[in-house]
Amino acid sequence: MIRSGKDVAALAAAAVVAVAAACVLSAIGPKPAADVSRGSEDAFATGLHRREIPPGAGPERWTTALATFGFRDLPDAPLSLAVDIREARGPVTVAADGVLLGRLEKGAHAVSFTLPATRRATRTIELASETFRAGDGRQLGARLGRVAIDWTAPPRLPAPGLLLELLVSAAVAFLTSRLAGARAWPAGAIAIGVVVLQSALLWPSGLARSPYALGLGGLVGAGCLVALAFARAVEARHAGAGPAAFVALLAGWLVQIVAGTSPVMVTSDAVFHANKLAAVALGDLFPVSVTQHAHPFRFPYGVSFYALLAPLARAGLDTVMLVRVGAAVAGLLATAGVFLLALVAWGPAAAAFSTVLLQVLPGTFDVAYSYGNLSNAFGQDATVLLFCWWAGRAPGRWPVGAALLAAAALAHFSSFVFVMALVMLLVITDTRARDRDRTRLWAAGVGVVVAAAYYAHFLGLVWEQLPRLLEGGGQGRGASRTAWDAARLQVLGALGQWGVPAIVLAWWGRPRPRADGRPARDLSAYWLAGLALAVPAIVSPLEVRYLYGLTAAVALSAGTGVARLEQKGGARRMAGRILFLAQIALGARAIAEALVSRYRP
C-alpha cells in the first residue's frame, strides 16, 4: 500500500537497512560452519541422528551412513573445506558435489581440502561412514565435530540470495503493516525491526549461507500475513485496534515461532518429549517421570500435549519437530488470548504493551524453549487461554472452558497444580460477585471432574510420595534448605524470570477491581493463586514452577502499567517508556543467550 511520499520514504529506509544488513553479513559475518559444539549443524545438515547432551558435557551428534551438508551464496573463489570428526569406527569418505575428495582413516579426526573456484554459489558436502549398531538399536556412522567452509578474498558484493530475502521481508513487513492500519513511518519501523531480527538470527555460525536462511525468510513472511489476518479480524470488531493487534501477534510470532523453533538453539529436553510423544502415540496414556531432586520423586507426567500431537506422529512426522512446533503454536495462541483480553478490559495500548512484554519476560522463553519444558509450557499456555476465556466475555458455551481446563490439567503435573489453584480462586471470586453466571461454573466443574478421573489412575503413586512433603523446601539437586533460604531463592527466581523493569511496571498496573470490573477482579485472583503456591515451594519439595505460571499475570499488569503511565504524561510517561525499553533489552539478551550460548562448552 504505497499512497504518499511518506510511504516511499519509509519503505526506502527499510530497503536501505536490508541492503546494509546483507552487506554486513556477507563481508564480515562468520564463515559458514555446521558446528555441533555451537549447535549450528541442523541449519546445514541432513542425515544426522538426534542431538544428545551428556551430563556435564556439550552437545553431541552422530551421523547416519550418509550425512549431507548444504552451503549457499558462496563466493566465486577458491574455498577451504574443513571436516572434523570426533569418533568413528571406520573410515569416513568426503565428497563435494558428487566428486570424491578423500577420506579420514580410522583414528583420524580432522582433514581439510581445497575446493577450486567455480561459478557455483551452492556446494553440497557428503560424509559417508561405515555404520555400527548402538546399544539402543541405532545405526551410527561418525560422531560429528564440524564441517566448515572458509575463503580468504572478501566478497565484493552482498550474497544475492540473502539480499533478495531481506528485501522481500522488508517489503512484506511494510505492506502488511500498512494494510493492518499502521501509518507510514511506524510501518517502516516495523519493517526495519523485522530485517534486523532476521539478520541477527542469521549471524551465528554463518547461517546466512545455509539452506535455513531461505526457510527463515518464508517463516517471517508467513508471520506477517498471519498477523495481518489477526489484525483485520480484530479491526472488524474493535475499530482502531488493528495496528496494535498486528504488532502484538507479529511480536508473538517472531519470538514463539521463529526464535522458539530456531535450529541453532540447543534445547535440553526436546528428545525427552519426543520419546514421550512416541510412547503416547503407541498407546501409553498414563506416562510418569522422575524429578531431579536429590532424592527423586516419581510423579504423573500428563498426556494432553502428546495426545494432541499423536495423530501427526503416527502419520510419520518427526517427533522432535512436532513437540517444538506444538509448544510454539500454543504460545502464539496464548499471546493472542492475552491481547484480546487486555483489549476488551484496558484498551489497545495496554493490549499491545502486554503482549510485547509477555515475549520479553526472560522466563517465557527460557522455561518453555531453551530448557525444554515443552509439555509444561503447553499446560501453562492452556491455563492462560482458560483465564482469558474466563475473565473476558466467556465466548462459546461451557464446553470451551471445560476443554481448556482439562487440557491444562492433563498436560503436566505442574500445570495441573497451578490451574487447580487458579480455578479455585476464580470460582470463589465468581460466586461472591454480582455478575456471576453458570457458564463458568459448569466449565470449572466439568474440567475438574475430567482431571480428577485421569489422575485417579495415579492415586497409589501419589499416596506413596505424600510423606516426602515433610522433607523441607529447596531440595533441587542438593540438600534441604531452611525456609528462609528457600524463600530467598524464590525472590531471586522472580527477579530472574520476570525482570526488575517488568515488576516495577506490574506494580503500577496492578489490578483495580473497583475501577475495572471483572477482568481486574479475576486478575487479582490469578495473582493470589500463583503466589499461594509459593508457600509449598518454600516449606516442601513441591515446586510447580508457579513463577512461570504467573508470566501472563505479570505481562497483563505490566502492560497496563505502561499504558497508565503513558496517560499521565510528563516524567511518568518517560519513566514508563524507559522501563518498557529496558525490559525489551533484558528479554532480548535472554533470548540471545538461549539461542547461542546455553548448553555450549
Side-chain angles (χ1 to χ4, degrees), residues 539-569:
V539 302
S540 79
L542 183 63
E543 298 176 3
V544 293
R545 297 192 178 97
Y546 70 94
L547 293 174
Y548 175 62
L550 280 172
T551 51
V554 176
L556 284 165
S557 299
T560 305
V562 179
R564 287 175 180 169
L565 291 172
E566 280 286 312
Q567 292 176 350
K568 292 183 180 297

mmCIF file of all heavy atoms in Angstrom, residues 539-569:
data_model
loop_
_atom_site.group_PDB
_atom_site.id
_atom_site.type_symbol
_atom_site.label_atom_id
_atom_site.label_comp_id
_atom_site.label_asym_id
_atom_site.label_seq_id
_atom_site.Cartn_x
_atom_site.Cartn_y
_atom_site.Cartn_z
ATOM 1 N N VAL A 539 8.273 -24.451 51.945
ATOM 2 C CA VAL A 539 8.301 -25.362 53.102
ATOM 3 C C VAL A 539 8.341 -26.827 52.704
ATOM 4 O O VAL A 539 8.439 -27.692 53.575
ATOM 5 C CB VAL A 539 7.089 -25.108 54.019
ATOM 6 C CG1 VAL A 539 7.067 -23.661 54.492
ATOM 7 C CG2 VAL A 539 5.783 -25.439 53.298
ATOM 8 N N SER A 540 8.257 -27.147 51.421
ATOM 9 C CA SER A 540 8.242 -28.549 50.994
ATOM 10 C C SER A 540 8.986 -28.681 49.661
ATOM 11 O O SER A 540 9.299 -27.682 49.017
ATOM 12 C CB SER A 540 6.797 -29.044 50.831
ATOM 13 O OG SER A 540 6.250 -28.588 49.609
ATOM 14 N N PRO A 541 9.260 -29.918 49.235
ATOM 15 C CA PRO A 541 9.921 -30.098 47.931
ATOM 16 C C PRO A 541 8.986 -29.881 46.743
ATOM 17 O O PRO A 541 9.429 -30.004 45.602
ATOM 18 C CB PRO A 541 10.394 -31.567 47.965
ATOM 19 C CG PRO A 541 10.236 -32.029 49.371
ATOM 20 C CD PRO A 541 9.146 -31.200 49.964
ATOM 21 N N LEU A 542 7.717 -29.550 46.984
ATOM 22 C CA LEU A 542 6.758 -29.396 45.894
ATOM 23 C C LEU A 542 6.973 -28.055 45.199
ATOM 24 O O LEU A 542 6.623 -27.001 45.715
ATOM 25 C CB LEU A 542 5.324 -29.483 46.435
ATOM 26 C CG LEU A 542 4.214 -29.396 45.380
ATOM 27 C CD1 LEU A 542 4.284 -30.568 44.418
ATOM 28 C CD2 LEU A 542 2.838 -29.327 46.053
ATOM 29 N N GLU A 543 7.583 -28.103 44.024
ATOM 30 C CA GLU A 543 7.798 -26.906 43.228
ATOM 31 C C GLU A 543 7.057 -27.089 41.901
ATOM 32 O O GLU A 543 7.303 -28.031 41.176
ATOM 33 C CB GLU A 543 9.292 -26.683 42.969
ATOM 34 C CG GLU A 543 10.096 -26.476 44.249
ATOM 35 C CD GLU A 543 11.581 -26.359 43.968
ATOM 36 O OE1 GLU A 543 11.967 -26.387 42.791
ATOM 37 O OE2 GLU A 543 12.344 -26.262 44.937
ATOM 38 N N VAL A 544 6.167 -26.187 41.601
ATOM 39 C CA VAL A 544 5.326 -26.357 40.408
ATOM 40 C C VAL A 544 5.552 -25.222 39.403
ATOM 41 O O VAL A 544 4.692 -24.941 38.593
ATOM 42 C CB VAL A 544 3.835 -26.430 40.798
ATOM 43 C CG1 VAL A 544 3.555 -27.687 41.588
ATOM 44 C CG2 VAL A 544 3.406 -25.190 41.577
ATOM 45 N N ARG A 545 6.711 -24.595 39.467
ATOM 46 C CA ARG A 545 7.061 -23.517 38.540
ATOM 47 C C ARG A 545 5.961 -22.450 38.504
ATOM 48 O O ARG A 545 5.520 -22.015 37.447
ATOM 49 C CB ARG A 545 7.332 -24.076 37.140
ATOM 50 C CG ARG A 545 8.528 -25.018 37.084
ATOM 51 C CD ARG A 545 8.939 -25.312 35.647
ATOM 52 N NE ARG A 545 10.101 -26.170 35.612
ATOM 53 C CZ ARG A 545 10.054 -27.493 35.463
ATOM 54 N NH1 ARG A 545 8.888 -28.082 35.333
ATOM 55 N NH2 ARG A 545 11.146 -28.208 35.436
ATOM 56 N N TYR A 546 5.518 -22.058 39.683
ATOM 57 C CA TYR A 546 4.439 -21.066 39.748
ATOM 58 C C TYR A 546 4.912 -19.715 39.212
ATOM 59 O O TYR A 546 4.105 -18.925 38.719
ATOM 60 C CB TYR A 546 3.937 -20.930 41.190
ATOM 61 C CG TYR A 546 4.916 -20.271 42.122
ATOM 62 C CD1 TYR A 546 4.864 -18.899 42.362
ATOM 63 C CD2 TYR A 546 5.915 -21.006 42.756
ATOM 64 C CE1 TYR A 546 5.766 -18.289 43.209
ATOM 65 C CE2 TYR A 546 6.819 -20.406 43.600
ATOM 66 C CZ TYR A 546 6.742 -19.047 43.819
ATOM 67 O OH TYR A 546 7.644 -18.453 44.650
ATOM 68 N N LEU A 547 6.224 -19.433 39.303
ATOM 69 C CA LEU A 547 6.724 -18.173 38.756
ATOM 70 C C LEU A 547 6.517 -18.133 37.242
ATOM 71 O O LEU A 547 6.147 -17.099 36.678
ATOM 72 C CB LEU A 547 8.213 -18.008 39.077
ATOM 73 C CG LEU A 547 8.562 -17.828 40.557
ATOM 74 C CD1 LEU A 547 10.068 -17.828 40.752
ATOM 75 C CD2 LEU A 547 7.952 -16.533 41.103
ATOM 76 N N TYR A 548 6.744 -19.254 36.592
ATOM 77 C CA TYR A 548 6.471 -19.338 35.160
ATOM 78 C C TYR A 548 4.975 -19.250 34.897
ATOM 79 O O TYR A 548 4.532 -18.607 33.941
ATOM 80 C CB TYR A 548 7.036 -20.632 34.600
ATOM 81 C CG TYR A 548 6.695 -20.865 33.149
ATOM 82 C CD1 TYR A 548 7.124 -19.980 32.168
ATOM 83 C CD2 TYR A 548 5.933 -21.956 32.762
ATOM 84 C CE1 TYR A 548 6.810 -20.177 30.835
ATOM 85 C CE2 TYR A 548 5.616 -22.178 31.430
ATOM 86 C CZ TYR A 548 6.054 -21.280 30.469
ATOM 87 O OH TYR A 548 5.725 -21.481 29.155
ATOM 88 N N GLY A 549 4.177 -19.869 35.762
ATOM 89 C CA GLY A 549 2.735 -19.819 35.604
ATOM 90 C C GLY A 549 2.177 -18.406 35.706
ATOM 91 O O GLY A 549 1.118 -18.112 35.140
ATOM 92 N N LEU A 550 2.893 -17.528 36.404
ATOM 93 C CA LEU A 550 2.414 -16.158 36.598
ATOM 94 C C LEU A 550 2.890 -15.198 35.513
ATOM 95 O O LEU A 550 2.610 -13.991 35.601
ATOM 96 C CB LEU A 550 2.877 -15.629 37.956
ATOM 97 C CG LEU A 550 2.058 -16.075 39.170
ATOM 98 C CD1 LEU A 550 2.744 -15.652 40.454
ATOM 99 C CD2 LEU A 550 0.646 -15.494 39.106
ATOM 100 N N THR A 551 3.598 -15.677 34.490
ATOM 101 C CA THR A 551 4.132 -14.753 33.485
ATOM 102 C C THR A 551 3.031 -13.946 32.795
ATOM 103 O O THR A 551 3.204 -12.757 32.521
ATOM 104 C CB THR A 551 4.956 -15.509 32.430
ATOM 105 O OG1 THR A 551 4.196 -16.613 31.928
ATOM 106 C CG2 THR A 551 6.262 -16.022 33.013
ATOM 107 N N ALA A 552 1.904 -14.570 32.507
ATOM 108 C CA ALA A 552 0.814 -13.831 31.861
ATOM 109 C C ALA A 552 0.255 -12.761 32.790
ATOM 110 O O ALA A 552 -0.092 -11.649 32.352
ATOM 111 C CB ALA A 552 -0.287 -14.790 31.423
ATOM 112 N N ALA A 553 0.156 -13.064 34.083
ATOM 113 C CA ALA A 553 -0.320 -12.063 35.039
ATOM 114 C C ALA A 553 0.654 -10.893 35.120
ATOM 115 O O ALA A 553 0.240 -9.722 35.182
ATOM 116 C CB ALA A 553 -0.499 -12.706 36.415
ATOM 117 N N VAL A 554 1.951 -11.196 35.119
ATOM 118 C CA VAL A 554 2.954 -10.129 35.127
ATOM 119 C C VAL A 554 2.816 -9.272 33.868
ATOM 120 O O VAL A 554 2.833 -8.035 33.923
ATOM 121 C CB VAL A 554 4.372 -10.722 35.220
ATOM 122 C CG1 VAL A 554 5.422 -9.622 35.121
ATOM 123 C CG2 VAL A 554 4.553 -11.491 36.522
ATOM 124 N N ALA A 555 2.696 -9.929 32.706
ATOM 125 C CA ALA A 555 2.601 -9.192 31.446
ATOM 126 C C ALA A 555 1.364 -8.314 31.400
ATOM 127 O O ALA A 555 1.430 -7.145 30.978
ATOM 128 C CB ALA A 555 2.602 -10.178 30.274
ATOM 129 N N LEU A 556 0.208 -8.842 31.827
ATOM 130 C CA LEU A 556 -1.021 -8.053 31.818
ATOM 131 C C LEU A 556 -0.912 -6.853 32.756
ATOM 132 O O LEU A 556 -1.312 -5.730 32.402
ATOM 133 C CB LEU A 556 -2.199 -8.934 32.215
ATOM 134 C CG LEU A 556 -2.712 -9.892 31.137
ATOM 135 C CD1 LEU A 556 -3.617 -10.949 31.748
ATOM 136 C CD2 LEU A 556 -3.455 -9.122 30.050
ATOM 137 N N SER A 557 -0.370 -7.081 33.940
ATOM 138 C CA SER A 557 -0.244 -5.971 34.894
ATOM 139 C C SER A 557 0.780 -4.952 34.422
ATOM 140 O O SER A 557 0.551 -3.734 34.497
ATOM 141 C CB SER A 557 0.157 -6.522 36.270
ATOM 142 O OG SER A 557 -0.820 -7.419 36.758
ATOM 143 N N ALA A 558 1.926 -5.444 33.908
ATOM 144 C CA ALA A 558 2.967 -4.530 33.455
ATOM 145 C C ALA A 558 2.521 -3.746 32.217
ATOM 146 O O ALA A 558 2.807 -2.548 32.100
ATOM 147 C CB ALA A 558 4.251 -5.302 33.159
ATOM 148 N N GLY A 559 1.841 -4.407 31.282
ATOM 149 C CA GLY A 559 1.339 -3.702 30.100
ATOM 150 C C GLY A 559 0.340 -2.627 30.468
ATOM 151 O O GLY A 559 0.356 -1.523 29.900
ATOM 152 N N THR A 560 -0.514 -2.937 31.429
ATOM 153 C CA THR A 560 -1.457 -1.929 31.912
ATOM 154 C C THR A 560 -0.720 -0.786 32.593
ATOM 155 O O THR A 560 -1.103 0.387 32.481
ATOM 156 C CB THR A 560 -2.454 -2.569 32.891
ATOM 157 O OG1 THR A 560 -3.088 -3.687 32.259
ATOM 158 C CG2 THR A 560 -3.516 -1.578 33.322
ATOM 159 N N GLY A 561 0.380 -1.129 33.289
ATOM 160 C CA GLY A 561 1.179 -0.090 33.937
ATOM 161 C C GLY A 561 1.791 0.865 32.938
ATOM 162 O O GLY A 561 1.786 2.084 33.149
ATOM 163 N N VAL A 562 2.324 0.357 31.825
ATOM 164 C CA VAL A 562 2.886 1.238 30.798
ATOM 165 C C VAL A 562 1.792 2.149 30.244
ATOM 166 O O VAL A 562 1.999 3.364 30.060
ATOM 167 C CB VAL A 562 3.520 0.415 29.653
ATOM 168 C CG1 VAL A 562 4.087 1.354 28.585
ATOM 169 C CG2 VAL A 562 4.621 -0.482 30.180
ATOM 170 N N ALA A 563 0.611 1.575 29.960
ATOM 171 C CA ALA A 563 -0.483 2.376 29.411
ATOM 172 C C ALA A 563 -0.920 3.466 30.388
ATOM 173 O O ALA A 563 -1.205 4.608 29.975
ATOM 174 C CB ALA A 563 -1.661 1.469 29.066
ATOM 175 N N ARG A 564 -0.959 3.152 31.675
ATOM 176 C CA ARG A 564 -1.352 4.165 32.664
ATOM 177 C C ARG A 564 -0.318 5.281 32.758
ATOM 178 O O ARG A 564 -0.666 6.462 32.877
ATOM 179 C CB ARG A 564 -1.539 3.500 34.027
ATOM 180 C CG ARG A 564 -2.803 2.654 34.123
ATOM 181 C CD ARG A 564 -2.882 1.927 35.446
ATOM 182 N NE ARG A 564 -4.105 1.121 35.536
ATOM 183 C CZ ARG A 564 -4.344 0.212 36.477
ATOM 184 N NH1 ARG A 564 -3.423 -0.004 37.422
ATOM 185 N NH2 ARG A 564 -5.463 -0.469 36.482
ATOM 186 N N LEU A 565 0.957 4.915 32.711
ATOM 187 C CA LEU A 565 1.995 5.936 32.760
ATOM 188 C C LEU A 565 1.977 6.801 31.507
ATOM 189 O O LEU A 565 2.277 8.007 31.563
ATOM 190 C CB LEU A 565 3.362 5.276 32.936
ATOM 191 C CG LEU A 565 3.596 4.623 34.311
ATOM 192 C CD1 LEU A 565 4.896 3.822 34.304
ATOM 193 C CD2 LEU A 565 3.621 5.671 35.413
ATOM 194 N N GLU A 566 1.627 6.219 30.362
ATOM 195 C CA GLU A 566 1.502 6.992 29.124
ATOM 196 C C GLU A 566 0.418 8.055 29.273
ATOM 197 O O GLU A 566 0.571 9.190 28.802
ATOM 198 C CB GLU A 566 1.158 6.060 27.958
ATOM 199 C CG GLU A 566 2.334 5.306 27.384
ATOM 200 C CD GLU A 566 3.239 6.201 26.562
ATOM 201 O OE1 GLU A 566 2.733 6.959 25.705
ATOM 202 O OE2 GLU A 566 4.461 6.163 26.783
ATOM 203 N N GLN A 567 -0.670 7.707 29.902
ATOM 204 C CA GLN A 567 -1.776 8.641 30.051
ATOM 205 C C GLN A 567 -1.420 9.802 30.985
ATOM 206 O O GLN A 567 -1.945 10.901 30.826
ATOM 207 C CB GLN A 567 -2.999 7.907 30.591
ATOM 208 C CG GLN A 567 -3.591 6.910 29.609
ATOM 209 C CD GLN A 567 -4.741 6.125 30.204
ATOM 210 O OE1 GLN A 567 -4.990 6.175 31.410
ATOM 211 N NE2 GLN A 567 -5.452 5.390 29.359
ATOM 212 N N LYS A 568 -0.525 9.562 31.946
ATOM 213 C CA LYS A 568 -0.179 10.610 32.900
ATOM 214 C C LYS A 568 0.741 11.661 32.297
ATOM 215 O O LYS A 568 0.780 12.800 32.757
ATOM 216 C CB LYS A 568 0.464 9.988 34.150
ATOM 217 C CG LYS A 568 -0.510 9.160 34.963
ATOM 218 C CD LYS A 568 0.133 8.616 36.214
ATOM 219 C CE LYS A 568 -0.854 7.794 37.033
ATOM 220 N NZ LYS A 568 -1.988 8.587 37.523
ATOM 221 N N GLY A 569 1.484 11.284 31.246
ATOM 222 C CA GLY A 569 2.349 12.232 30.567
ATOM 223 C C GLY A 569 3.553 12.643 31.402
ATOM 224 O O GLY A 569 3.764 12.166 32.527
#
